Amino acid sequence: MNMNDLVFIVLGFITLLGAVGVVSFTNIVHAALSLVLSFLGVAGFYFQMQAEFLGLVQIMVYAGAISVLIIFAIMLVMDRDPNQTNISHPVNRWWGGLIALLFAGIIGFAIRESRFTGQAGSPDADRVGQLAELVLGNYVIAFEIAAILLLVAVVGAIILAKGAKEQ
Amino acid sequence: MQKIETLFVDLSDWFIAWLQSLGVPLAWADAILLLIQFLCIVGIILANITILIWLERKVSGFIQQRPGPNRLGPHGVFQTVADALKLLTKEDIIPSKTDRLIFITAPILFMTISVMLYIVLPMGKDMQVVDLNVGLFFFISLGSLTTIALLMGGWGSNNKWSLLGAMRSVAQMISYEIPLALSLMGVVMITGSLRLSDIVAAQDNVWFILLQPIAFITYFIAATAELNRGPFDMPEAEQELTAGAYTEYSGMRYALFFLAEYTNLVAVSALLSTLFLGGWQGPWLPSWLWIIIKTYLVMFLFMWVKWTFPRIRMDHLMAFSWKVLIPVTLVNIVATGFGLYIFKGIGG
């Protein structure tokens, strides 16, 4: 077992530990915080694959912003005993497990069947520049449409929160 | 002169050579050097903070026309050491109704993130622990994690003031992260790289504070808010929230939060001098001395602002970020883009 495998196993353990925590903690704030742990583990995978930019985006957007949003929302609406807020449904938990297994099977099958032709670049390659050329070159329309979509969502959120004036 | 300039680089080269002469493989020698570099970073942080806290109290004393600490040692220089010893020997109190695990983890996480910021900072010519090609982005993105640590502290304390303080600081930090990142865009556009050593090298002829004066000011304001320092210290506004997210913390746990805030202050000041004040470049003196001088000048500026302006109201604070800072930084980015386009047109 070389160093790379060891790092992979440790990161996988952290990610799975976080993911198991999300479903098994009965306190929903604890569940949200272990979601952060899981996000950080995934960011570690990106670093291991030398996709530093993606890893940092993962930390900033998922671990730093989205999870804060989730925790904020939870704290604002919670009015019960916090230790009883994330209890799994007595029947649906089995259905959920079944569906999760099914999806894991499909993804595993897809991974087994596909051919990965990509190769590792040199560690000093200017990956941010390459990414920028793709996003602002070949895929610029998709990129701009996503940006407009986000802008519309932000404007909509502000109107919903403030309440539009009646004409 | 040359010897002093490359003192630390020579030292690490000599150390690697010495380890190799003992029969240690190069990879292991590098790993050991990395560990020593981490220890050095911790040492740098602790030494600087000890000076910094004393300096802050002296500066605030000078501004408020009072002597400041003056009993222990000449001009009270040993006051911080005594305070640290006192905090270390205090009883470790964990209130019984807290969310114990979160309460304990929060200050450790906060401090860890602050220390991690230092690994990308260029502390002199060729003196950088890791020269990441996305160094600047690393700094911003890790900084966004501190919100989680504060939120954990506020939630785990199970106290109204703590939670209110944490909520305020999270709202403030998320709002000010946007102008913070946007004001650095101008520098990145001129350099064409996120690598901090490239940014320093690009300021060979002219410092970016002259090319990007607006970005410097907006970054300074946004950084003050990110650091939760006055006049934007709403999250711990003593008069209304006792101590915000830190209310329930005492002893060394409180000191960790306190230390981490000063650690962040040093890191942000060093980044500011790297991005806008030419980094370690300067005449006559060795490079690692220049970065220290510049960092301390920037920190003095932070202190001056803190002890001069009164605290700003929470809603004014948020409105200032969204309605003033973000538009200004966006206009600055557009202007920089036009400027670069014209400049490149002239230059061919």
Side-chain angles (χ1 to χ4, degrees):
Chain A
M1 190 167 67
N2 60 10
M3 201 64 191
N4 227 6
D5 292 346
L6 189 71
V7 172
F8 183 83
I9 289 169
V10 171
L11 285 176
F13 182 71
I14 293 173
T15 312
L16 288 180
L17 195 74
V20 169
V22 174
V23 286
S24 54
F25 275 125
T26 54
N27 182 338
I28 199 160
V29 176
H30 291 179
L33 286 175
S34 60
L35 187 65
V36 176
L37 188 71
S38 186
F39 284 148
L40 288 180
V42 174
F45 281 128
Y46 284 126
F47 283 118
Q48 197 195 9
M49 288 183 278
Q50 298 183 339
E52 295 96 350
F53 188 77
L54 267 186
L56 290 174
V57 168
Q58 168 85 12
I59 291 180
M60 189 166 172
V61 175
Y62 284 91
I66 288 189
S67 52
V68 168
L69 198 71
I70 293 173
I71 296 171
F72 237 96
I74 290 170
M75 285 177 178
L76 285 177
V77 298
M78 196 163 60
D79 58 348
R80 288 178 284 167
D81 173 22
N83 283 320
Q84 302 293 321
T85 39
N86 194 26
I87 294 171
S88 36
H89 193 275
V91 181
N92 284 353
R93 62 202 289 189
W94 301 111
W95 281 108
L98 202 69
I99 293 169
L101 266 183
L102 196 71
F103 268 103
I106 292 173
I107 292 171
F109 182 73
I111 291 173
R112 212 169 70 92
E113 291 299 305
S114 23
R115 300 267 170 279
F116 293 102
T117 50
Q119 44 196 309
S122 72
D124 282 331
D126 177 22
R127 290 201 192 73
V128 185
Q130 290 166 2
L131 189 72
E133 265 166 32
L134 283 179
V135 167
L136 296 174
N138 284 355
Y139 303 108
V140 68
I141 293 177
F143 180 70
E144 291 296 338
I145 287 176
I148 290 172
L149 204 64
L150 280 174
L151 185 70
V152 171
V154 168
V155 172
I158 291 174
I159 288 176
L160 279 181
K162 285 191 83 169
K165 280 206 185 76
E166 294 285 333
Q167 290 295 315
Chain B
M1 198 65 234
Q2 196 59 33
K3 274 268 181 286
I4 301 172
E5 164 64 52
T6 59
L7 179 68
F8 293 104
V9 180
D10 285 346
L11 213 62
S12 67
D13 285 348
W14 171 81
F15 184 73
I16 290 274
W18 178 68
L19 277 181
Q20 276 187 307
S21 73
L22 289 177
V24 181
L26 186 61
W28 281 102
D30 274 339
I32 294 171
L33 183 70
L34 205 61
L35 270 182
I36 291 177
Q37 281 171 332
F38 288 149
L39 288 180
C40 286
I41 285 179
V42 174
I44 290 171
I45 290 170
L46 288 181
N48 271 313
I49 286 171
T50 317
I51 302 168
L52 195 59
I53 292 175
W54 171 76
L55 201 67
E56 170 112 51
R57 296 177 70 177
K58 273 291 182 198
V59 169
S60 69
F62 174 73
I63 288 173
Q64 298 173 344
Q65 294 190 324
R66 57 188 172 81
N70 60 355
R71 294 298 163 89
L72 219 57
H75 299 282
V77 281
F78 298 124
Q79 186 63 48
T80 322
V81 181
D83 284 347
L85 283 177
K86 181 201 125 195
L87 282 169
L88 270 171
T89 50
K90 265 183 129 167
E91 186 191 349
D92 179 27
I93 300 169
I94 300 176
S96 57
K97 286 281 173 75
T98 50
D99 203 331
R100 207 180 154 86
L101 185 67
I102 296 180
F103 185 83
I104 293 172
T105 331
I108 301 171
L109 186 69
F110 201 53
M111 187 72 198
T112 313
I113 296 164
S114 316
V115 174
M116 277 174 79
L117 295 178
Y118 284 74
I119 66 171
V120 290
L121 285 178
M123 300 179 201
K125 201 173 189 302
D126 302 323
M127 281 165 63
Q128 203 170 0
V129 178
V130 190
D131 194 8
L132 270 185
N133 62 355
V134 283
L136 184 57
F137 192 47
F138 176 88
F139 202 92
I140 300 171
S141 131
L142 269 192
S144 74
L145 269 185
T146 49
T147 47
I148 292 271
L150 267 180
L151 204 54
M152 281 167 73
W155 166 260
S157 301
N158 200 4
N159 171 322
K160 269 182 214 155
W161 307 133
S162 304
L163 194 57
L164 267 178
M167 290 258 177
R168 272 185 181 183
S169 71
V170 169
Q172 172 179 330
M173 281 163 107
I174 287 184
S175 306
Y176 276 86
E177 230 162 59
I178 302 163
L180 189 85
L182 285 180
S183 46
L184 298 180
M185 286 293 283
V187 171
V188 177
M189 282 163 80
I190 295 176
T191 318
S193 170
L194 287 167
R195 196 190 286 269
L196 284 174
S197 56
D198 286 352
I199 292 176
V200 175
Q203 301 178 67
D204 212 4
N205 294 322
V206 55
W207 289 0
F208 283 152
I209 188 174
L210 296 176
L211 296 178
Q212 291 282 324
I214 298 170
F216 177 79
I217 295 169
T218 51
Y219 181 77
F220 188 84
I221 297 172
T224 316
E226 280 286 300
L227 290 167
N228 287 338
R229 278 181 70 83
F232 303 125
D233 57 350
M234 285 313 293
E236 43 193 296
E238 290 91 352
Q239 293 85 344
E240 28 189 305
L241 287 179
T242 50
Y246 315 144
T247 306
E248 295 289 348
Y249 285 91
S250 61
M252 203 53 214
R253 286 182 212 286
Y254 171 75
L256 263 187
F257 272 119
F258 196 67
L259 281 182
E261 291 215 323
Y262 277 96
T263 312
N264 280 336
L265 174 65
V266 181
V268 165
S269 306
L271 186 77
L272 208 96
S273 34
T274 303
L275 292 178
F276 292 103
L277 303 177
W280 42 260
Q281 304 201 48
W284 310 305
L285 294 171
S287 59
W288 41 270
L289 208 56
W290 266 116
I291 189 85
I292 294 174
I293 293 171
K294 285 172 184 170
T295 307
Y296 267 83
L297 280 177
V298 174
M299 286 194 293
F300 177 70
L301 208 60
F302 272 117
M303 287 173 195
W304 192 358
V305 168
K306 170 166 179 169
W307 295 101
T308 307
F309 292 104
R311 188 177 296 138
I312 290 170
R313 223 170 72 194
M314 189 64 195
D315 55 330
H316 287 180
L317 181 80
M318 300 297 272
F320 182 67
S321 169
W322 290 97
K323 292 179 182 164
V324 179
L325 273 187
I326 293 178
V328 167
T329 46
L330 284 175
V331 168
N332 184 47
I333 289 175
V334 174
T336 311
F338 272 115
L340 276 179
Y341 192 74
I342 292 167
F343 182 73
K344 284 197 176 137
I346 294 168

